[in-house]
Amino acid sequence: MTDNQIALNQLPIGKKANVSALTSDGDTRRRMLDLGVINGTEIEALYKSPSGNPVAYFIRGAVIALRSDVSEQIIVSAP
Amino acid sequence: MGLTNTSTGAGVLSHCGLHIEKETEQDKIVALAGNPNVGKSTVFNGLTGLNQHTGNWPGKTVVNAQGTYRHQDTNFIMVDIPGTYSLMANSTEEEIARDFICFGEADAVVVVADATCLERNLNLVLQTMEITDRVVLCVNLMDEAAKKKIRIDLPRLASLLGIPVVGASARAGKGLDRLMDTVGGLTGSAATLNPLRVEYGEEIEAAIALVESEITDVLQGRINTRWAALKLLDGDDSLLGSLEHYLGFDPTQNTEISQVIAQARYLLEEAGIPADQFRDQVVTRIVKTCEVISRDVVTFEKKEYVARDHRIDQILTSRLTGIPIMIALLFLIFWITITGANVPSSLLAAGLFSLEEPISQFFLWLSAPDWLRAIVVDGVFRTLAWVISVMLPPMAIFFPLFTLLEDLGYLPRVAFNLDNFFRKAHAHGKQALTMCMGFGCNACGVIGCRIIDSPRERLIAILTNNFVPCNGRFPTLIAIITMFFAGTVGGAFQSVVSTLMLTGTIVLGVAMTLFISSLLSKTILKGMPSSFHLELPPYRRPQVGKVIVRSILDRTIFVLGRAVMVAAPAGIVIWILANIHVGDFSILAHCAGFLDPFAKLLGLDGYILMAFILGFPANETVVPIIIMSYMATGKLTDLESMSELHMLFVNHGWTWLTAVCTMLFSLMHWPCGTTCLTIRNETQSLKWTLVSFAIPTITGMAICILVANTVRMLGLV
């Protein structure tokens, strides 16, 4: 497995990846932690909104829409 | 009202300053917690029925609901605490929830969880169990989970967590008896439970033990010391404040405790856990524990269980179809409303106006003075008849349809589709949701703005909510469209044209919402949009029967009742104004004459503008007031169909331009009285209330002046 580190907003639709780092801080970081976004969490990019931003992700059994300013602060390692 | 800090002094503040009335000493207090969207309020309503009352949490603009139920000869007082994902005090809601669980002296805490998304929900459960032992987990939506082939081993879950677990499908009323039994059993016994403790790893555990040993004596068992130690290590300022507020305990004032905390933090840092990573470590451990438990008890019998929802979402939110489908749905709802309302409207009008004669006869038989008959029949009764026949049918159709869409879970998808526009307007993505709530009632939309955390974006959402027409304004728009635009097109296309115009009006309202939000973001409410996440909950089959009953009873009757309350006195006022003459003209004519020059500038006339002013308490009354004013000055008395109404309006100088400007002004003018009061309550500021009054009024006037005078200049009318 090649360790291909990308920001979550770069993850193509339909692909899954595991979180390797959270670069946000403050409120945004805490919100992500509340949703269970921690190192190792699997996230699947589900679909884009009509304009391409936000994007809906599948995170621990829930569908969560994130704007790109939030998702670019989640680093995932794409398998 | 509730006990306040000053009246009782710190330390004896029970129930977090919340006023809880116990009938007897034996009454039990049960806190109800849970993530948002898990059916917590269904559980609450299912248990307490109509024995509820709502207020605000002391000093906060967060709704607090309390209800009571009786079970096995004991009264249970249920306190609904705000729906949150966590108790880490990231928001006011979380702070309230944490404080009530910690200091509210509840006899039990029921945490409601979503069976279809148990893992995420366990986070809150574990955090609650850290604060108190007396927790009951209610796994709700078991029926939804079963449909999605998700099996949950509840006994295993109970033994892993070490707390009672009850499965429920609150919407079908299932499992609530068991929940009451379990809560009764827990609160009735003094047995100590031994709930699962999240293990934070050697280093953090050592630090907790160090601090815990120091604070045990001071806290005297008033709150869980392990949890308090964890939070002190975390340096949770919000909890420090609450500790001082509720227990009169300020650890920073105690040198020994401060020293121990500093020492523990030093040891953690040595062990490779600096302060800024502490909370991450803690959360990570909790989330991992949830993951382990969830793997153990949840079985997905069909892995693709969510695939259907995702496929639906892909269609409803895609680049090509997302927004067109949204507008089509809006169109469909309006079309059903307009076509469906036509017949009952004329039936109601015919029925009510046929009563006019018998009522007049009755007054004659009483030998009552004629002015009394005139006030009651020509004033009050006619206005009421208009309000009911013009307003009731569209409301009774629109409300349930809209609620069905809401129940289905479509509104978050609307927010998802529109988010890009709101982001560009530097507004919050959830403003799309509060805007949708405004379709029902602007006051509800304004209250709904509480879901927006950031004060700047919340204010923008409040100030612009009035740009979407509420249910009270729809009938006005529909009536004018039907009279002036659809009538010229014959047959089956009539309702299509009406619907298209109404949909266009709404789209204009949404566009204005975005434009004004953007303008505010660049001027008096400068700032960047805050980060947020939007949950797209699974679609749920709406309970059609319940929705219809609920929306007709709760909303339609309420709104109609308010309209009637306003319409009756308005009828009297209009009758008096129209029948008392000063000089050659009635007072009504004088008032209208006074307003007329300005109203003409707006493309309206004096009577229309006056109807909007008199309609301030309830927008539903605007068209009936216009009709009454014209009838009071004209000769026509027998009006039972839209075409006769149309004649009445045309005889009073209406052109298509008047109709357009009245619609524009109806879409954009001051918020109704209830909404203004709500804005005052929500913002706690007279200034912002005035601003919220001024923004749509000035916008509407400017647009009306522009449209009216452009059309006149071009000689189009």
Side-chain angles (χ1 to χ4, degrees):
Chain A
M1 190 176 115
T2 52
D3 239 17
N4 196 0
Q5 303 277 327
I6 52 167
L8 182 61
N9 60 340
Q10 306 292 325
L11 186 69
I13 297 300
K15 297 282 182 217
K16 291 176 187 173
N18 293 317
V19 175
S20 55
L22 261 181
T23 59
S24 52
D25 53 13
D27 273 354
T28 313
R29 185 183 189 88
R30 284 199 288 272
R31 251 182 257 274
M32 292 303 106
L33 294 175
D34 283 349
L35 295 174
V37 178
I38 56 169
N39 282 356
T41 301
E42 185 186 85
I43 297 184
E44 180 183 354
L46 287 181
Y47 32 82
K48 290 180 180 175
S49 62
S51 56
N53 182 13
V55 173
Y57 297 96
F58 196 56
I59 304 173
R60 293 189 186 269
V63 180
I64 309 284
L66 300 176
R67 284 180 179 174
S68 63
D69 59 320
V70 176
S71 55
E72 72 185 10
Q73 292 180 313
I74 299 173
I75 308 300
V76 295
S77 46
Chain B
M1 284 310 293
L3 302 170
T4 63
N5 199 14
T6 43
S7 69
T8 58
V12 284
L13 243 187
S14 63
H15 319 310
C16 290
L18 197 65
H19 184 71
I20 298 179
E21 222 162 272
K22 282 189 175 185
E23 270 176 41
T24 70
E25 269 308 297
Q26 282 71 46
D27 291 4
K28 304 291 183 198
I29 297 174
V30 182
L32 187 66
N35 283 13
N37 293 320
V38 295
K40 190 158 72 77
S41 47
T42 323
V43 172
F44 184 70
N45 293 336
L47 288 178
T48 61
L50 295 172
N51 301 313
Q52 299 181 3
H53 65 96
T54 52
N56 273 9
W57 287 89
K60 307 272 166 49
T61 51
V62 176
V63 178
N64 162 258
Q66 287 179 40
T68 53
Y69 68 88
R70 208 170 159 73
H71 186 66
Q72 290 167 349
D73 297 325
T74 309
N75 281 327
F76 290 85
I77 302 167
M78 191 154 244
V79 179
D80 188 22
I81 56 183
T84 60
Y85 290 110
S86 146
L87 295 174
M88 304 257 179
N90 297 331
S91 66
T92 316
E93 281 78 9
E94 289 181 18
E95 204 171 297
I96 292 172
R98 179 205 62 197
D99 279 357
F100 193 80
I101 293 171
C102 187
F103 307 106
E105 297 184 0
D107 297 286
V109 180
V110 173
V111 184
V112 183
D114 179 350
T116 64
C117 186
L118 187 66
E119 184 183 331
R120 225 255 323 274
N121 284 249
L122 283 176
N123 190 333
L124 182 70
V125 180
L126 292 179
Q127 289 189 41
T128 310
M129 285 161 49
E130 289 195 309
I131 306 179
T132 169
D133 292 348
R134 314 196 75 75
V135 182
V136 174
L137 172 59
C138 169
V139 183
N140 191 25
L141 301 169
M142 288 297 280
D143 45 355
E144 293 284 328
K147 267 187 222 153
K148 295 188 165 169
K149 305 286 177 213
I150 303 172
R151 293 267 172 277
I152 298 175
D153 186 346
L154 295 175
R156 175 90 184 129
L157 182 60
S159 83
L160 285 175
L161 292 174
I163 58 167
V165 174
V166 181
S169 307
R171 277 155 58 109
K174 283 184 195 152
L176 295 180
D177 288 335
R178 286 263 310 284
L179 181 61
M180 287 194 278
D181 286 342
T182 313
V183 171
L186 181 72
T187 53
S189 83
T192 45
L193 293 161
N194 194 14
L196 172 79
R197 293 276 167 249
V198 177
E199 292 288 329
Y200 291 109
E202 211 177 307
E203 299 86 1
I204 293 181
E205 288 297 334
I208 291 174
L210 194 64
V211 176
E212 200 180 351
S213 66
E214 194 63 42
I215 58 175
T216 307
D217 287 345
V218 192
L219 289 175
Q220 295 167 335
R222 285 181 292 180
I223 62 170
N224 184 307
T225 48
R226 178 185 158 84
W227 176 73
L230 187 70
K231 294 291 145 181
L232 289 176
L233 282 167
D234 190 7
D236 186 336
D237 290 337
S238 138
L239 182 71
L240 287 178
S242 295
L243 280 174
E244 203 196 342
H245 186 69
Y246 297 115
L247 304 181
F249 165 57
D250 182 0
T252 56
Q253 296 294 313
N254 183 319
T255 33
E256 280 111 38
I257 294 177
S258 299
Q259 271 169 9
V260 167
I261 294 172
Q263 188 195 347
R265 283 195 185 142
Y266 175 74
L267 290 175
L268 280 171
E269 187 133 13
E270 290 287 284
I273 305 175
D276 59 338
Q277 279 175 32
F278 182 80
R279 192 180 281 198
D280 271 28
Q281 289 273 341
V282 168
V283 176
T284 303
R285 283 294 176 159
I286 298 175
V287 173
K288 291 266 190 223
T289 310
C290 299
E291 197 178 303
V292 171
I293 296 174
S294 164
R295 273 206 195 124
D296 199 333
V297 300
V298 184
T299 354
F300 300 97
E301 290 181 353
K302 253 173 90 185
K303 283 280 180 199
E304 62 277 17
Y305 75 98
V306 283
R308 191 203 55 171
D309 268 13
H310 293 180
R311 271 200 305 276
I312 297 175
D313 267 352
Q314 270 161 9
I315 298 167
L316 292 183
T317 63
S318 85
R319 180 185 291 269
L320 278 178
T321 50
I323 290 177
I325 288 181
M326 203 171 72
I327 293 176
L329 271 172
L330 198 66
F331 180 90
L332 182 71
I333 288 192
F334 290 148
W335 185 77
I336 298 174
T337 307
I338 289 173
T339 31
N342 249 333
V343 176
S345 250
S346 16
L347 285 179
L348 274 172
L352 287 168
F353 286 111
S354 69
L355 288 177
E356 226 183 80
E357 194 49 36
I359 298 178
S360 289
Q361 290 296 331
F362 176 71
F363 273 90
L364 228 58
W365 177 77
L366 281 181
S367 344
D370 191 59
W371 61 265
L372 184 66
R373 184 209 59 82
I375 281 193
V376 173
V377 179
D378 300 346
V380 176
F381 181 79
R382 268 192 201 164
T383 317
L384 284 183
W386 281 118
V387 168
I388 293 171
S389 56
V390 178
M391 304 293 139
L392 180 64
M395 276 200 283
I397 298 173
F398 179 79
F399 260 158
L401 286 177
F402 189 73
T403 315
L404 279 179
L405 215 53
E406 209 176 342
D407 239 37
L408 191 67
Y410 183 66
L411 297 195
R413 275 74 189 181
V414 172
F416 184 59
N417 281 337
L418 292 180
D419 184 60
N420 193 42
F421 300 112
F422 283 95
R423 186 173 50 84
K424 284 186 176 157
H426 289 197
H428 201 279
K430 287 184 185 167
Q431 192 179 330
L433 290 176
T434 63
M435 186 184 75
C436 288
M437 291 181 218
F439 281 122
C441 162
N442 292 124
C444 301
V446 168
I447 292 177
C449 294
R450 290 171 176 183
I451 59 173
I452 298 171
D453 291 334
S454 135
R456 182 189 74 88
E457 288 155 282
R458 193 172 144 223
L459 208 46
I460 291 179
I462 290 176
L463 295 181
T464 55
N465 195 272
N466 201 49
F467 283 107
V468 291
C470 65
N471 204 46
R473 284 184 276 164
F474 276 125
T476 306
L477 297 171
I478 293 175
I480 295 173
I481 291 173
T482 317
M483 278 190 287
F484 281 86
F485 302 102
T488 52
V489 193
F493 287 107
Q494 199 166 325
S495 57
V496 175
V497 171
S498 304
T499 311
L500 273 176
M501 284 208 62
L502 187 57
T503 312
T505 313
I506 305 311
V507 172
L508 175 68
V510 174
M512 287 310 296
T513 303
L514 290 164
F515 173 70
I516 299 292
S517 298
S518 167
L519 205 64
L520 287 170
S521 288
K522 282 174 190 140
T523 53
I524 50 172
L525 287 166
K526 258 196 192 103
M528 292 306 287
S530 66
S531 69
F532 87 111
H533 72 265
L534 178 74
E535 185 166 1
L536 303 176
Y539 291 103
R540 280 169 197 158
R541 183 173 301 166
Q543 295 171 296
V544 180
K546 266 192 191 168
V547 164
I548 292 174
V549 171
R550 204 178 62 208
S551 53
I552 289 187
L553 285 184
D554 289 6
R555 290 176 161 191
T556 313
I557 301 288
F558 169 76
V559 174
L560 186 74
R562 196 187 62 159
V564 167
M565 299 273 283
V566 174
I572 297 181
V573 169
I574 291 172
W575 188 87
I576 291 175
L577 293 180
N579 284 278
I580 295 181
H581 287 67
V582 177
D584 285 339
F585 297 105
S586 65
I587 301 180
L588 185 68
H590 280 297
C591 291
F594 172 74
L595 291 171
D596 208 54
F598 181 63
K600 282 268 153 59
L601 189 67
L602 301 178
L604 315 172
D605 69 27
Y607 292 104
I608 306 173
L609 189 55
M610 206 162 82
F612 276 110
I613 295 170
L614 287 175
F616 175 66
N619 273 303
E620 295 84 344
T621 54
V622 170
V623 169
I625 292 177
I626 298 177
I627 297 173
M628 293 309 296
S629 324
Y630 287 162
M631 281 176 41
T633 55
K635 297 281 165 281
L636 275 163
T637 46
D638 188 32
L639 294 170
E640 274 165 30
S641 73
M642 280 294 182
S643 61
E644 283 157 11
L645 266 186
H646 180 223
M647 278 305 293
L648 175 74
F649 280 45
V650 169
N651 287 341
H652 280 84
W654 277 54
T655 61
W656 66 267
L657 180 63
T658 324
V660 166
C661 288
T662 308
M663 284 172 64
L664 287 172
F665 200 65
S666 169
L667 183 68
M668 293 171 278
H669 70 288
W670 48 84
C672 75
T674 315
T675 308
C676 284
L677 279 178
T678 311
I679 294 173
R680 173 81 180 80
N681 272 337
E682 293 299 300
T683 58
Q684 294 290 317
S685 145
L686 185 61
K687 180 185 120 191
W688 289 117
T689 313
L690 292 175
V691 172
S692 75
F693 187 94
I695 289 175
T697 308
I698 293 171
T699 315
M701 285 181 175
I703 289 180
C704 283
I705 290 174
L706 192 73
V707 170
N709 293 293
T710 311
V711 170
R712 282 179 194 143
M713 237 163 29
L714 296 175
L716 295 176
V717 281

